[in-house]
Amino acid sequence: MIRFERVTKRYQDGTTAIKSIDLEINEGEFFVIIGPSGCGKTTLLKMMNRLIELSDGTIFVYGKKISDYDIHELRWNMGYVLQQIALFPHMTIEENIAIVPELKKWSNEKIRQRTDKLLEMVGLPPEKYRGRKPKELSGGEQQRVGVIRALASDPGIMLMDEPFSALDPISREKLQDDILEVQRKINKTIVFVTHDMQEAIKLGDRICLMKDGEIVQVGTPKEIVESP
Ligand code: ADP
Ligand code: ADP
């Protein structure tokens, strides 16, 4: 589904952030990338949707080189969630979700159905939340809106870069449970970056351990925990 072949990233200042990585991520898998700050997790993630260009090697998505995709097509196939969700402050929650390009062609009725369903999925009653402005939501609730906005165009793949790390422990746990449920229900491929081993073990079907731009180990949580 996503395949890296000898992928290298050198930044202009000479930093080699990714060193000839081979990696395969399976369809429907919850794949967690973990490692200390600066080991290359964000670089690896951002190369998948071409926010960062590769220096060397190839990435395939659904068997096709990412360089052969129309960039918009590639990104529609990949929802992207960041640590700090930026919602548009002057728009309602519903408008913030419907901003996804794919939805622009839809009728108002269809957009409402879709946004309501997504809001329900993460425990935000639509009649209460759809008309609110972002500042009327807690940080955890805003983050939840960010997650469902990334799901709105129904991408096959979700890229998530420390999406919960700015949250308080209770919101964080709730969102971890939500995303697990979402993944089970709609069977997305999720690539999830974290530096928190607890989170990786809780969420991951497989965990990829990185260090200094290289992959140290890939395995199930059990294999990772039990390895010396
Ligand atoms: P992580 O997400 O694991 O914290 P990053 O992928 O952000 O790691 O960074 C990997 C390495 O690349 C770090 O040494 C970082 O300083 C460096 N780096 C990241 N972005 C750039 C950039 N735009 N220019 C130069 N070096 C960068
Ligand atoms: P993260 O918290 O996602 O690991 P960082 O805090 O490492 O990200 O970096 C934040 C931003 O700064 C990123 O967009 C990254 O590309 C850029 N950056 C990181 N390290 C460097 C660097 N050494 N030189 C230039 N830009 C960098």
Side-chain angles (χ1 to χ4, degrees):
M1 134 107 4
I2 303 172
R3 190 154 50 92
F4 284 65
E5 281 184 8
R6 298 187 308 283
V7 171
T8 293
K9 176 64 190 179
R10 275 179 301 274
Y11 285 108
Q12 290 201 338
D13 65 357
T15 308
T16 307
I18 299 293
K19 299 171 185 163
S20 193
I21 275 184
D22 291 308
L23 178 65
E24 192 148 359
I25 299 170
N26 303 316
E27 183 150 20
E29 180 169 49
F30 204 127
F31 192 84
V32 177
I33 300 170
I34 190 169
S37 182
C39 72
K41 305 182 293 297
T42 297
T43 302
L44 197 71
L45 198 74
K46 285 185 176 170
M47 287 195 291
M48 295 184 207
N49 66 358
R50 285 172 55 191
L51 280 173
I52 292 178
E53 293 296 329
L54 320 193
S55 307
D56 221 334
T58 318
I59 301 176
F60 298 89
V61 170
Y62 299 113
K64 182 168 152 182
K65 289 182 188 175
I66 56 170
S67 53
D68 289 344
Y69 275 90
D70 171 75
I71 192 135
H72 302 293
E73 187 197 355
L74 181 71
R75 290 184 185 162
W76 287 337
N77 276 311
M78 295 187 170
Y80 185 49
V81 187
L82 288 159
Q83 185 174 342
Q84 295 285 0
I85 296 295
L87 297 175
F88 296 99
H90 303 296
M91 294 184 187
T92 64
I93 296 308
E94 182 174 42
E95 287 164 347
N96 263 287
I97 299 169
I99 197 99
V100 176
E102 285 279 274
L103 270 61
K104 282 190 187 149
K105 308 168 240 164
W106 293 12
S107 68
N108 288 342
E109 194 191 322
K110 200 172 160 202
I111 289 175
R112 161 99 9 130
Q113 280 174 2
R114 179 84 180 134
T115 52
D116 281 4
K117 197 170 153 216
L118 290 164
L119 285 165
E120 268 163 18
M121 202 160 72
V122 291
L124 301 174
E127 56 295 347
K128 200 168 149 199
Y129 281 88
R130 68 163 95 89
R132 288 197 188 177
K133 298 282 172 60
K135 68 170 187 311
E136 299 169 295
L137 272 61
S138 73
E141 289 170 339
Q142 290 188 35
Q143 203 69 10
R144 241 170 271 176
V145 173
V147 170
I148 58 178
R149 179 168 65 186
L151 284 166
S153 66
D154 199 22
I157 300 162
M158 286 279 274
L159 306 179
M160 308 183 83
D161 194 349
E162 306 212 16
F164 309 145
S165 59
L167 301 176
D168 63 89
I170 292 172
S171 303
R172 186 176 182 146
E173 195 137 320
K174 173 81 178 70
L175 267 162
Q176 289 170 344
D177 295 339
D178 283 349
I179 194 72
L180 274 178
E181 207 180 311
V182 165
Q183 200 239 1
R184 278 189 207 116
K185 237 184 254 170
I186 53 187
N187 198 38
K188 299 284 173 203
T189 303
I190 298 183
V191 188
F192 188 104
V193 165
T194 184
H195 58 254
D196 176 350
M197 189 49 99
Q198 299 280 53
E199 185 167 72
I201 290 168
K202 176 170 174 182
L203 298 177
D205 292 318
R206 282 194 303 156
I207 296 172
C208 169
L209 201 61
M210 286 184 71
K211 197 186 164 204
D212 296 336
E214 293 178 301
I215 294 176
V216 179
Q217 194 186 356
V218 180
T220 62
K222 192 165 180 284
E223 286 164 352
I224 297 280
V225 171
E226 285 173 2
S227 75

